[in-house]
């Protein structure tokens, strides 16, 4: 492998980052009929609005001087968005998106992972009839088309860049991947799949597979595990599966109860958010997150996520990047 050299200088990279973010969010908003809204950086622990991710990550928290309550920096806005759609009165087919900034203190830093997470969090209202795999696939294709359009515009503006993505995205379930590659880990299965297809949407993530293991972790109280998935593409620069988005049709009452029971977390039904859902006070929705730095890294042909975002890195990471001619922001 030839030594790495960034195709864009530092200032040129910063300008390109803004172009990618401006263009993609504009194209995405039109494709999904989304309105930009403001979002919280932190929420109260007591209301149950924070995303629990895989259930083991520790949110950054602090006490509020005036009230003594505990607030948590959001890990994502999966639950808050659904709540906001109801409060704002969005109609079916309409939705919102926002800039989500998070701190994930337990993340292990590597070329794709940082303590700082920035993504477009989006959510839209749907009907009960929309809670199907076909509706999910249609939504995924719209997002992927927005990605391709943005990639073409970036490549046209910066001819030195080239993003090699297929025109179509392939859908495959986590169980199909396990059946095809039983000896591999879930991460290795995704790598084999994107090597073959270029871009895949891995469906049905969160529940146990026939082997008794999970393809990946999902909190039980936002995605319906039978109607969700990840957009993953092949990134030849790092020869890896490159996850861009986690998304899905959200739980209804039946799937919420079932998934909480499976995880032994029925006590969450007493939290305000969950009570509202069980009392039909929240709309049915579909939504997800799309990594901003991940997308910039992909479209700007960068070898490390630290080339497109400013974060804190262990000294070992800084030394390794310096040795590989990678300049962190």
């Amino acid at each position: 492998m030839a030594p790495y050299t960034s195709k864009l200088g530092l200032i040129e990279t910063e300008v390109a980052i803004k172009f990618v973010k401006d263009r993609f969010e504009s194209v995405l908003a039109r494709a999904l009929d989304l309105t930009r809204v403001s979002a919280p950086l932190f929420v109260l622990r007591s209301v149950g609005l924070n995303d629990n991710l895989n259930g083991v990550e520790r949110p950054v928290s602090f006490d509020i001087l005036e009230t003594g309550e505990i607030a948590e920096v959001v890990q994502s806005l999966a639950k808050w968005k659904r709540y906001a759609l109801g409060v704002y009165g969005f109609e079916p087919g309409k939705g919102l998106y926002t800039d989500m900034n998070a701190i994930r203190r337990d993340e292990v830093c590597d070329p794709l992972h940082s303590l700082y997470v920035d993504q477009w969090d989006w959510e839209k209202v749907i009907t009960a009839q929309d809670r199907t795999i076909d509706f999910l696939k249609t939504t995924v294709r719209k997002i992927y088309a927005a990605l391709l359009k943005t990639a073409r515009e970036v490549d046209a503006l910066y001819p030195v860049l080239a993003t090699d993505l297929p025109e179509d995205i392939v859908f495959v379930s986590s169980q199909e991947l396990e059946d095809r590659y039983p000896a591999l880990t879930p991460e290795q299965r995704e790598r084999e799949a994107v090597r073959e297809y270029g871009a895949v949407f891995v469906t049905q993530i969160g529940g146990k597979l026939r082997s008794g293991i999970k393809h990946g972790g999902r909190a039980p109280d936002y995605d319906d595990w039978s109607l969700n998935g990840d957009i993953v593409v092949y990134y030849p620069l790092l020869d890896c599966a490159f996850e861009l988005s986690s998304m899905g049709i959200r739980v209804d009452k039946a799937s919420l109860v079932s998934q909480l029971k499976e995880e032994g977390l029925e006590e969450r039904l007493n939290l305000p958010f969950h009570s509202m859902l069980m009392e039909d006070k929240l709309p049915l929705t579909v939504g997800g997150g799309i990594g901003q730095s991940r997308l910039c890294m992909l479209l700007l042909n960068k070898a490390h996520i630290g080339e497109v975002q400013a974060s804190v890195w262990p000294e070992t990471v800084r030394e390794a990047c310096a040795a590989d001619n990678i300049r962190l922001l």
Side-chain angles (χ1 to χ4, degrees):
M1 179 178 175
Y4 172 73
T5 301
S6 175
K7 296 177 180 178
L8 302 177
L10 286 178
I11 295 178
E12 197 173 23
T13 293
E14 294 283 15
V15 173
I17 289 170
K18 186 176 188 305
F19 178 82
V20 170
K21 291 185 176 183
D22 288 348
R23 290 302 300 142
F24 179 75
E25 71 174 57
S26 176
V27 175
L28 179 71
R30 287 198 302 271
L32 297 183
D33 203 354
L34 307 176
T35 299
R36 191 186 186 286
V37 302
S38 300
L41 177 61
F42 46 85
V43 294
L44 292 177
R45 176 182 291 171
S46 59
V47 299
L49 279 178
N50 206 355
D51 183 355
N52 296 96
L53 300 177
N54 297 317
V56 296
E57 294 88 350
R58 301 171 300 156
V60 175
S61 62
F62 59 93
D63 64 295
I64 301 172
L65 176 63
E66 187 175 9
T67 67
E69 294 178 286
I70 302 298
E72 294 178 345
V73 176
V74 296
Q75 297 196 109
S76 90
L77 295 169
K79 297 170 189 170
W80 177 87
K81 293 177 297 179
R82 188 169 183 176
Y83 171 77
L85 285 171
V87 171
Y88 294 166
F90 279 82
E91 298 294 328
K94 305 288 186 179
L96 59 82
Y97 78 96
T98 189
D99 289 302
M100 192 284 295
N101 296 284
I103 300 170
R104 297 193 180 165
R105 62 194 290 187
D106 294 325
E107 199 71 76
V108 177
C109 296
D110 63 24
L112 298 182
H113 297 87
S114 169
L115 302 179
Y116 169 63
V117 176
D118 57 340
Q119 63 185 32
W120 292 282
D121 253 328
W122 66 273
E123 198 89 7
K124 66 187 298 184
V125 180
I126 61 174
T127 66
Q129 290 70 38
D130 293 328
R131 299 189 79 259
T132 66
I133 192 68
D134 287 338
F135 181 86
L136 178 64
K137 288 181 177 180
T138 297
T139 305
V140 170
R141 290 190 179 103
K142 289 179 180 180
I143 295 171
Y144 189 69
L147 168 61
L148 289 180
K149 178 175 174 59
T150 306
R152 287 192 290 266
E153 292 184 9
V154 172
D155 289 351
L157 185 62
Y158 298 97
V160 69
L161 300 176
T163 303
D164 184 20
L165 293 173
E167 287 300 309
D168 299 308
I169 188 167
V170 173
F171 295 84
V172 59
S173 74
S174 56
Q175 187 60 63
E176 288 172 330
L177 286 182
E178 182 182 68
D179 294 343
R180 191 181 303 180
Y181 309 111
L184 301 183
T185 67
E187 293 78 12
Q188 291 169 335
R189 293 169 196 157
E190 289 188 358
R191 184 181 180 212
E192 292 302 313
V194 294
R195 275 178 160 178
E196 180 177 356
Y197 299 116
V200 299
F201 185 74
V202 182
T203 65
Q204 300 176 333
I205 298 175
K208 290 182 180 179
L209 303 173
R210 282 194 284 270
S211 64
I213 67 169
K214 296 182 177 184
H215 182 84
R218 285 293 188 280
D221 44 12
Y222 59 94
D223 279 357
D224 184 324
W225 293 342
S226 66
L227 294 169
N228 72 344
D230 290 343
I231 296 176
V232 188
V233 301
Y234 180 63
Y235 194 38
L237 180 60
L238 299 180
D239 185 27
C240 71
F242 196 95
E243 181 188 324
L244 287 170
S245 176
S246 174
M247 58 173 287
I249 291 173
R250 308 308 196 184
V251 290
D252 58 7
K253 290 191 290 186
S255 55
L256 173 65
V257 172
S258 174
Q259 290 176 184
L260 287 176
K261 183 177 181 180
E262 183 174 336
E263 296 295 289
L265 296 170
E266 293 98 325
E267 72 276 4
R268 288 192 190 175
L269 290 171
N270 298 316
L271 293 171
F273 172 85
H274 303 70
S275 296
M276 290 180 69
L277 198 158
M278 295 302 295
E279 295 168 7
D280 296 315
K281 294 179 180 178
L282 294 175
L284 297 173
T285 65
V286 61
I290 303 168
Q292 294 187 9
S293 290
R294 285 279 183 97
L295 182 62
C296 290
M297 181 181 170
L298 176 74
L299 299 190
L300 303 184
N301 302 174
K302 299 293 190 176
H304 198 284
I305 199 167
E307 294 181 271
V308 293
Q309 64 160 235
S311 185
V312 174
W313 304 98
E315 191 58 34
T316 53
V317 171
R318 290 191 169 277
E319 291 173 355
C321 287
D324 292 333
N325 199 33
I326 295 171
R327 300 183 67 182
L328 302 175
L329 297 184

